Amino acid sequence: MEENSCLRQAKCRAKGGAAGFKVAILGAAGGIGQPLAMLMKINPLVSVLHLYDVVNTPGVTADISHMDTGAVVRGFLGQPQLENALTGMDLVIIPAGVPRKPGMTRDDLFNINAGIVRTLCEGIAKCCPNAIVNLISNPVNSTVPIAAEVFKKAGTYDPKKLLGVTMLDVVRANTFVAEVLGLDPRDVDVPVVGGHAGVTILPLLSQVKPPCSFTQEEAEYLTNRIQNGGTEVVEAKAGAGSATLSMAYAAVEFADACLRGLRGDAGVVECAFVASQVTELPFFASKVRLGRQGAEEIFQLGPLNEYERIGLEKAKKELAGSIQKGISFSKK
Ligand code: NAD
Ligand code: LMR
């Protein structure tokens, strides 16, 4: 039977092919971390994979290290091993922190996750200040500003290299829009801008590719479903956490785009929550072009219809408070 090309390339590289990148996952033993680690192990662009968590990394590392793909896997357990986990990394992916239970908002995670993200980013500033950071831990609208403040304080802040991961919103939007249009989701591209919580998640349905149109009823249904996709999973899991498998898939798609950018590929464009001048807010999610320096170009929103303009105002109002909350936490 023919092997899939991803696996085959990874194996080829193990036999002496092109050098790859060094990637660390912080929170690697968690619900997202484990499938994310598995998928990064089969990514042919990865040569070294560091798995860090405060629990269970020896088991996860032993397990994943038996996969016959090119990346060399090493495990790191607990705060004393954080620096070794981070030293020399090109890309650091952070899914560390607690997930929601039914009835909670992402902001309810702030008190625990803010401190976790701060500590991990202090390690990054010290050990791999030039790495690209993909921040998944919620509330992303606040954790990205926290990370920025940590890096500023350390004198290492490069706004192009700090990326809040909003890819799952795009993945969901592509899926739900494809369902309505009767298309294959792989052929659909929906820009999702703003942030990563409730009304801050703003799908631009007027800019869907391939070009199409929606009734107002369809636009409202799709916008609501995309904005509440996370809650849909939290409720279905009924106390056992939030999205992990679709998130790992989305995180790998995004990380792979960052690595292709680092390699120098042209035209790598994805949505991410970044330092931005697209609106009056200091951070905003929009399409960015990924290159050797990270988010090298941030695209404007393009023409919006009336429904999207109203959505944008709501999104900005909530985002402003979440961003400020992150900045204030870091300045305390
Ligand atoms: P989980 O509880 O299954 O896993 C989290 C992992 O983080 C655990 O293994 C835990 O030990 C580890 N951890 C805790 N403190 C740590 C520290 N100080 N250093 C390193 N690791 C630490 O949770 P999960 O389902 O994997 O979700 C993780 C986070 O990702 C949550 O905050 C969740 O809300 C968020 N999330 C974000 C998105 C997104 O689109 N950005 C999507 C899904 C989930
Ligand atoms: C998601 O969108 O699935 C994540 O942000 C997790 C959550 O709490 O909804």
Side-chain angles (χ1 to χ4, degrees):
M1 200 165 77
E2 200 171 296
E3 264 178 333
N4 95 28
S5 70
C6 195
L7 270 173
R8 199 167 49 228
Q9 282 176 50
K11 284 187 185 174
C12 282
R13 205 169 36 63
K15 289 176 188 152
F21 294 101
K22 296 179 179 166
V23 177
I25 300 175
L26 313 183
I32 297 168
Q34 292 199 36
L36 172 59
M38 185 182 80
L39 293 169
M40 291 309 282
K41 172 77 167 103
I42 60 175
N43 187 311
L45 293 176
V46 181
S47 58
V48 173
L49 184 60
H50 282 191
L51 305 181
Y52 172 82
D53 204 304
V54 290
V55 292
N56 296 340
T57 39
V60 174
T61 306
D63 191 352
I64 284 183
S65 70
H66 290 185
M67 293 168 64
D68 62 345
T69 62
V72 173
V73 185
R74 300 190 191 106
F76 301 85
L77 181 65
Q79 178 79 22
Q81 297 189 7
L82 178 62
E83 294 192 4
N84 285 341
L86 289 170
T87 301
M89 293 299 108
D90 300 303
L91 172 68
V92 180
I93 312 174
I94 313 183
V98 291
R100 286 200 281 164
K101 288 191 179 348
M104 292 170 81
T105 66
R106 291 177 183 81
D107 186 59
D108 292 332
L109 306 173
F110 184 95
N111 287 344
I112 299 180
N113 290 354
I116 293 174
V117 167
R118 178 167 60 188
T119 306
L120 296 175
C121 289
E122 284 166 355
I124 292 168
K126 188 169 172 198
C127 302
C128 52
N130 294 319
I132 306 249
V133 177
N134 288 178
L135 190 41
I136 294 171
S137 317
N138 270 319
V140 168
N141 295 351
S142 303
T143 53
V144 169
I146 290 172
E149 291 301 315
V150 170
F151 296 149
K152 278 184 204 165
K153 202 169 163 190
T156 65
Y157 183 46
D158 179 349
K160 295 190 290 304
K161 295 193 168 170
L162 174 59
L163 302 145
V165 179
T166 58
M167 188 79 182
L168 182 53
D169 302 315
V170 174
V171 164
R172 285 178 177 141
N174 292 344
T175 305
F176 304 155
V177 165
E179 248 170 54
V180 165
L181 296 177
L183 294 175
D184 184 326
R186 289 168 296 185
D187 297 333
V188 174
D189 178 33
V190 186
V192 183
V193 303
H196 179 66
V199 297
T200 74
I201 300 168
L202 185 63
L204 300 182
L205 298 172
S206 64
Q207 296 180 21
V208 167
K209 285 185 191 148
C212 58
S213 62
F214 299 100
T215 63
Q216 185 59 24
E217 199 186 341
E218 285 171 335
E220 284 173 18
Y221 159 77
L222 283 168
T223 302
N224 275 324
R225 182 134 191 239
I226 294 160
Q227 290 181 334
N228 294 306
T231 305
E232 188 177 316
V233 178
V234 168
E235 283 170 2
K237 290 199 174 180
S242 55
T244 53
L245 304 172
S246 52
M247 182 61 236
Y249 166 79
V252 166
E253 289 280 292
F254 189 69
D256 183 69
C258 290
L259 295 179
R260 282 184 282 121
L262 273 180
R263 183 173 64 177
D265 288 16
V268 183
V269 174
E270 298 293 351
C271 290
F273 184 66
V274 291
S276 169
Q277 293 179 345
V278 163
T279 68
E280 64 275 26
L281 298 172
F283 297 91
F284 199 80
S286 63
K287 282 198 168 183
V288 303
R289 184 178 52 75
L290 297 160
R292 287 206 168 91
Q293 302 306 315
E296 292 182 347
E297 189 179 357
I298 298 174
F299 294 102
Q300 298 297 319
L301 299 184
L304 306 185
N305 63 27
E306 178 64 9
Y307 182 58
E308 290 161 353
R309 277 196 294 277
I310 294 169
L312 177 62
E313 290 315 308
K314 281 192 208 154
K316 284 196 294 187
K317 202 169 165 209
E318 181 170 322
L319 257 179
S322 306
I323 293 169
Q324 192 48 51
K325 187 169 175 177
I327 295 173
S328 306
F329 170 83
S330 303
K331 292 203 162 147
K332 264 187 216 154

